[in-house]
Amino acid sequence: MKSKSAPPKSEKTGLPKSENETEIKIDPVTRLEGHGTITIKLDKGKVSSVQFNVNSARFFEKFLEGRLAEDARIIAPRICGICPEPHHLASVKAVEDAWQINPPEPAKKLRELLLLAKQISSHALHIYVLAAPDFLLGPFAPAEVRNVVTVINKLPDAGKKAIELMKHGQELCAVVGGKSVHPVTAIPGGMTKTLTEEQRDEWIKRMDRAMELVDFTAELLLKIVQDYWDVVTKIGVIETYYIGLAKNGEHNFYDGNIRVMSPSGKIEAEVPARKYMDVAGEQILPHSYATHIFYKPAGYPDGIWRGGPLARINVVDKMSTSKGNEALKAFRDKVGRPCHATFAYHWARVIELIDAVGKARKLLEDPDIVSKDYKLETVEPREGVGVGAVEAPRGTLIHNYWTDRQGIITKANLIVATNQNIGAIEKSLNLIAKQVIEDKVYEKVKLPKPMITL
Amino acid sequence: MANRKKVVFMQLSSCWGCHQSLLDLHEKLLDVIPLLDIQYWVAAVDFKLDHLEKLPNGSIDAAFIEGLCRTEEDVHLLKLCREKAKALVSLGTCSTYGGAPSIANLYPKRELLERKYLKAETAANRNTIPSENVPEIADYVPQNNQIVKFDAYLPGCPPTSGEIANAVLALLSGKPIEHSNKTICDECKRKKEEKNIKVFKRDFEGRPDTEKCLLDQGYLCMGPGTRAGCGAQCPAANNPCQGCSGPPEGVTDQGARLVGAFGGIADMESPKMLKSFPDPAGQLYKFTYASSPLSKLRRVKKNEK
């Protein structure tokens, strides 16, 4: 990684603080969606502090105030262009909760299908575009080639399959959500449209093809995990709490209770979304615009938790398909429950990918998915408070709105998925900085010969 | 390949949706990517900022800007891209008109910060506003073209992958990006009739007919004031157009265009019509608030103070 190194300057004098202190800045963190830098301070060669600086905020929590509640489903997805579907759905669920509306079952199934479509494309993107280059080219490959373009050029078969898998996910998002990015079809009271029978038939076939691609991805990824086993089990392993939705104990992206697991693997709490404030606290750090969300009863920083694939795989008792459960069993047999290895996120992501494609196919076979009963005829705005929680690719996402009699938002509180992980990212960076800079761990762990050589 | 064009995909404060739309070219990416020598793209390649800063001025063929200037860092990155690039392209509605996040201009910066960091219901320590090793938040969101000059605009939230591919290919071959002055209504396939609206509905009311013009049914569809290009995707999904591509070519004020269009078809007294707009800024400028005269006027007043 490239970094610029300069002694930190005293804020008052502008002079270096001490000859012994140096600072490494990684600016920006690449292959991530968003704005982040890492600031590492060294004192006589020892890591004295590590900051993960998230460099921007757009204040959706504030400017949702005054908006029509049904417009939040359009505005809030602009928080994240990789995961607009979860925002769209958390928003509509929050409004429906505030207005005490229960949409028809077929609408809920269409929404779940939309969310699964997004998990498929986002997980594939995360694996192939954001993560794989590090492993396929190895950690010492030059920065200018360590990217998906090289993967496509050097492993064209894998590259094409990656693109095809993302395409199935994104195009299913468009068919159910109306647009491939920033969906519009979920609305208080249901959905604006359903699927036609022709679409349903086509997508059942396409999910069969997607499963072939997922099988290929799983095989590739498990080989990577095996090759890098020393890295997975020795670098960046941190004990944290975990948060994820579970519906009757089962893995579910759209619905369920919020479950919290302790570092020792105990289910510490299981509460309905409406009670999210009992478990979630936000610590505001001076060096990051993104807050650190944590398990409130344990306090900060002890209560730092993680969300996303590894967290969900830890908190749930089972997946929703038999193939997903087989994959989960193989994972737990090998690494146990809970698994604290940060690099095991990639493995957990593949388990979710297998389960998501299987679940999407199951939903497509459900007669409700083409039902005409996709929206309530009458929807009345009212004064109320509502909470909507869904799983976004990177963690549990919660929207909380207060509405007035006209159905206008008077206040909004958002717990955004990525922020579930910011505290833990910083915690793991602290450890990894010490492991890399002080212990030179990269000389001690077994690294495979890169699959791609230049 | 020696004749690859040097490009930068820059993300200012934004959601990354325009870049997702670029990736949504799918297998066509295999045709486009080999034409590009990507010199900066935070989400996909590993070049750091110092790499971009060290490149000679004017050495980049085209820089595509996604996002808005919410922070001082955004302003720096935007100016940097202007210096480095021969052609600066505004990619998406945030960069072109401010986008949805520019609705924040309705509130003073102090209130934005207070709500998020001091008053959030879940905030545990209500005593900190981030200020260490993070760039300062700007007082308001300007339109990017108030900061630097752009050579081309490609609004849309996001622009479709086809629109992005056409723009990239046009630029690489030195052709101008073609713009149409048509609106969403021109490309919408719904059946339109003589309009005579007695009452405007909210989007969640009833179940709209799937064939007839949504505006004819009383839904506040933003089609008449929104530029064509996306293929009228939202009306096709039985959802009113939300106006996310901004105004058609040649129109600067999307809200004023919409008010004119709605006024022309509404058969109701103005007080009744006004009741249909409890949130005019959010309803009529949902994606273009930074570019609206209202936002600019408020800013002038603030500066005068």
Side-chain angles (χ1 to χ4, degrees):
Chain A
M1 80 188 69
K2 275 192 182 176
S3 63
K4 51 185 176 191
S5 179
K9 289 178 181 166
S10 156
E11 277 162 32
K12 282 182 188 157
T13 61
L15 297 169
K17 276 179 183 162
S18 125
E19 284 176 13
N20 295 326
E21 284 186 23
T22 47
E23 184 178 279
I24 299 171
K25 248 195 197 301
I26 297 166
D27 180 17
V29 180
T30 42
R31 281 184 284 125
L32 129 157
E33 186 276 300
H35 290 249
T37 56
I38 297 170
T39 308
I40 303 169
K41 290 197 171 122
L42 301 173
D43 192 356
K44 294 179 196 158
K46 297 274 182 202
V47 175
S48 57
S49 79
V50 180
Q51 293 178 350
F52 182 46
N53 313 114
V54 176
N55 292 336
S56 183
R58 287 166 294 153
F59 308 103
F60 283 80
E61 298 88 340
K62 181 66 188 176
F63 68 77
L64 282 171
E65 268 176 31
R67 310 285 78 77
L68 304 186
E70 68 273 25
D71 280 353
R73 73 193 175 100
I74 302 297
I75 294 169
R78 271 69 190 183
I79 291 171
C80 175
I82 298 192
C83 61
E85 289 76 8
H87 282 288
H88 185 59
L89 297 177
S91 176
V92 169
K93 282 179 79 178
V95 174
E96 288 174 342
D97 189 36
W99 295 357
Q100 298 173 26
I101 296 167
N102 188 22
E105 285 305 310
K108 293 182 191 169
K109 288 175 185 170
L110 284 162
R111 291 174 183 181
E112 190 175 358
L113 182 62
L114 176 60
L115 208 44
L116 288 162
K118 174 38 68 179
Q119 304 289 346
I120 293 166
S121 76
S122 176
H123 278 12
L125 175 108
H126 197 125
I127 290 167
Y128 285 105
V129 181
L130 305 183
D134 285 329
F135 302 103
L136 297 176
L137 281 103
F140 303 111
E144 55 270 28
V145 296
R146 200 171 48 212
N147 56 52
V148 69
V149 177
T150 309
V151 174
I152 289 171
N153 288 338
K154 296 283 180 176
L155 293 177
D157 183 46
K160 277 181 192 154
K161 287 190 163 113
I163 286 171
E164 193 191 338
L165 184 56
M166 290 190 280
K167 178 178 174 170
H168 290 306
Q170 284 297 98
E171 291 189 352
L172 186 54
C173 281
V175 165
V176 185
K179 289 169 73 191
S180 67
V181 183
H182 298 321
V184 293
T185 53
I187 192 157
M191 296 288 280
T192 63
K193 69 183 243 334
T194 183
L195 293 186
T196 64
E197 290 184 8
E198 295 73 37
Q199 286 170 329
R200 187 258 327 265
D201 296 345
E202 180 199 339
W203 277 96
I204 287 176
K205 282 185 215 143
R206 286 184 68 170
M207 282 300 109
D208 287 340
R209 171 62 184 154
M211 191 57 102
E212 291 172 22
L213 299 165
V214 167
D215 288 342
F216 170 86
T217 306
E219 201 179 315
L220 177 70
L221 207 107
L222 289 179
K223 180 173 176 1
I224 288 174
V225 168
Q226 212 172 349
D227 286 354
Y228 283 89
W229 190 247
D230 228 20
V231 173
V232 172
T233 52
K234 289 179 185 160
I235 298 183
V237 180
I238 53 163
E239 294 200 351
T240 63
Y241 286 78
Y242 295 95
I243 176 178
L245 293 183
K247 192 174 183 180
N248 303 319
E250 190 174 295
H251 185 281
N252 194 301
F253 287 120
Y254 180 69
D255 207 4
N257 286 331
I258 297 171
R259 249 194 195 188
V260 181
M261 178 179 269
S262 75
S264 67
K266 182 172 159 251
I267 303 295
E268 282 283 331
E270 178 155 350
V271 297
R274 271 184 156 257
K275 301 250 180 190
Y276 79 100
M277 284 191 208
D278 291 353
V279 294
E282 287 184 272
Q283 186 75 13
I284 293 100
L285 282 296
H287 59 262
S288 170
Y289 283 128
T291 62
H292 292 195
I293 302 164
F294 64 98
Y295 180 51
K296 196 154 79 178
Y300 183 87
D302 292 353
I304 286 177
W305 64 23
R306 289 190 269 191
L310 183 66
R312 291 186 288 251
I313 291 302
N314 279 335
V315 304
V316 301
D317 302 324
K318 56 184 179 194
M319 304 303 289
S320 56
T321 65
S322 54
K323 203 166 166 177
N325 276 316
E326 280 169 35
L328 178 65
K329 184 173 184 302
F331 178 87
R332 286 196 176 151
D333 284 350
K334 181 93 174 167
V335 295
R337 177 189 186 198
C339 168
H340 294 300
T342 304
F343 283 108
Y345 260 91
H346 300 309
W347 189 352
R349 196 168 281 117
V350 163
I351 299 170
E352 289 198 331
L353 200 45
I354 292 167
D355 204 58
V357 173
K359 183 87 181 278
R361 195 189 191 287
K362 254 207 281 196
L363 278 170
L364 283 160
E365 285 174 339
D366 189 320
D368 273 355
I369 218 74
V370 290
S371 164
K372 300 288 179 222
D373 183 23
Y374 53 81
K375 173 154 188 309
L376 300 176
E377 184 65 40
T378 308
V379 174
E380 298 279 351
R382 57 191 291 169
E383 188 177 345
V385 185
V387 178
V390 298
E391 284 294 333
R394 281 150 203 87
T396 312
L397 168 68
I398 302 164
H399 284 216
N400 182 187
Y401 305 152
W402 287 254
T403 62
D404 68 10
R405 272 189 311 168
Q406 269 191 290
I408 290 172
I409 294 175
T410 55
K411 201 162 66 163
N413 193 49
L414 308 176
I415 297 284
V416 177
T418 299
N419 290 12
Q420 310 281 16
N421 298 302
I422 304 287
I425 288 172
E426 193 165 272
K427 186 173 168 158
S428 67
L429 286 171
N430 260 285
L431 173 64
I432 291 172
K434 286 182 186 134
Q435 288 184 312
V436 170
I437 296 167
E438 296 176 18
D439 306 342
K440 295 193 169 42
V441 68
Y442 47 88
E443 290 174 358
K444 294 172 189 162
V445 290
K446 215 168 89 189
L447 290 171
K449 183 172 170 290
M451 231 179 271
I452 296 175
T453 47
L454 300 160
Chain B
M1 271 184 288
N3 57 353
R4 288 188 308 165
K5 300 283 185 181
K6 286 193 189 322
V7 296
V8 163
F9 293 104
M10 177 57 79
Q11 187 188 10
L12 309 179
S13 289
S14 66
C15 78
W16 207 72
C18 297
H19 289 119
Q20 177 69 57
S21 194
L22 169 65
L23 286 185
D24 285 352
L25 280 170
H26 307 307
E27 62 275 3
K28 292 189 201 93
L29 275 175
L30 299 173
D31 302 327
V32 176
I33 293 279
L35 306 173
L36 308 178
D37 174 9
I38 302 169
Q39 288 293 314
Y40 198 74
W41 187 8
V42 169
V45 302
D46 277 348
F47 287 122
K48 302 296 175 188
L49 186 57
D50 59 353
H51 169 79
L52 180 61
E53 284 172 334
K54 281 176 197 156
L55 291 174
N57 286 352
S59 63
I60 295 294
D61 291 295
F64 296 83
I65 305 291
E66 182 200 86
L68 50 121
C69 286
R70 180 73 267 182
T71 69
E72 279 182 352
E73 179 188 56
D74 293 328
V75 175
H76 169 69
L77 294 172
L78 177 58
K79 287 180 175 168
L80 187 65
C81 285
R82 176 67 280 182
E83 282 171 15
K84 302 299 175 192
K86 293 188 191 84
L88 194 67
V89 185
S90 178
L91 179 62
T93 297
C94 286
S95 175
T96 309
Y97 298 109
S102 71
I103 304 173
N105 284 358
L106 285 168
Y107 306 93
K109 172 180 155 182
R110 177 180 45 80
E111 284 183 26
L112 301 175
L113 291 165
E114 277 179 6
R115 174 66 199 145
K116 187 169 171 67
Y117 298 117
L118 303 180
K119 293 181 179 168
E121 283 67 22
T122 32
N125 57 327
R126 301 183 175 204
N127 55 9
T128 304
I129 289 177
S131 60
E132 180 192 335
N133 287 332
V134 287
E136 192 162 340
I137 298 289
D139 285 343
Y140 63 89
V141 176
Q143 241 181 309
N144 283 348
N145 69 3
Q146 293 176 290
I147 299 173
V148 297
K149 185 180 166 293
F150 280 84
D151 301 290
Y153 297 92
L154 191 61
C157 192
T160 63
S161 45
E163 289 176 286
I164 296 176
N166 289 342
V168 171
L169 295 174
L171 275 163
L172 297 186
S173 58
K175 292 178 193 145
I177 299 177
E178 286 184 21
H179 289 298
S180 134
N181 56 6
K182 293 202 161 90
T183 68
I184 293 294
C185 296
D186 295 320
E187 55 184 5
C188 180
K189 294 195 175 68
R190 286 174 173 264
K191 289 191 198 98
K192 298 166 188 84
E193 290 168 1
E194 187 71 19
K195 292 176 177 38
N196 189 14
I197 316 293
K198 304 276 188 217
V199 62
F200 284 121
K201 291 179 196 157
R202 293 197 31 194
D203 290 359
F204 55 76
E205 289 182 53
R207 284 173 49 139
D209 182 281
T210 54
E211 311 268 312
K212 287 186 193 159
C213 168
L214 287 160
L215 207 46
D216 287 354
Q217 301 178 60
Y219 292 99
L220 283 164
C221 181
M222 304 296 158
T226 304
R227 78 187 287 141
C230 71
Q233 296 177 94
C234 295
N238 213 21
N239 189 86
C241 169
Q242 300 291 322
C244 78
S245 301
E249 194 72 12
V251 175
T252 50
D253 187 337
Q254 188 179 23
R257 166 59 70 98
L258 285 166
V259 167
F262 295 144
I265 56 168
D267 183 12
M268 58 184 100
E269 302 293 323
S270 30
K272 189 176 171 191
M273 186 167 155
L274 271 177
K275 274 195 175 165
S276 305
F277 297 94
D279 171 29
Q283 289 175 272
L284 299 167
Y285 297 98
K286 200 174 286 149
F287 293 91
T288 60
Y289 192 70
S291 73
S292 77
L294 198 61
S295 175
K296 288 174 181 167
L297 194 68
R298 287 165 70 104
R299 201 180 312 145
V300 170
K301 276 190 184 157
K302 189 168 179 288
N303 290 346
E304 280 170 0
K305 275 185 200 167

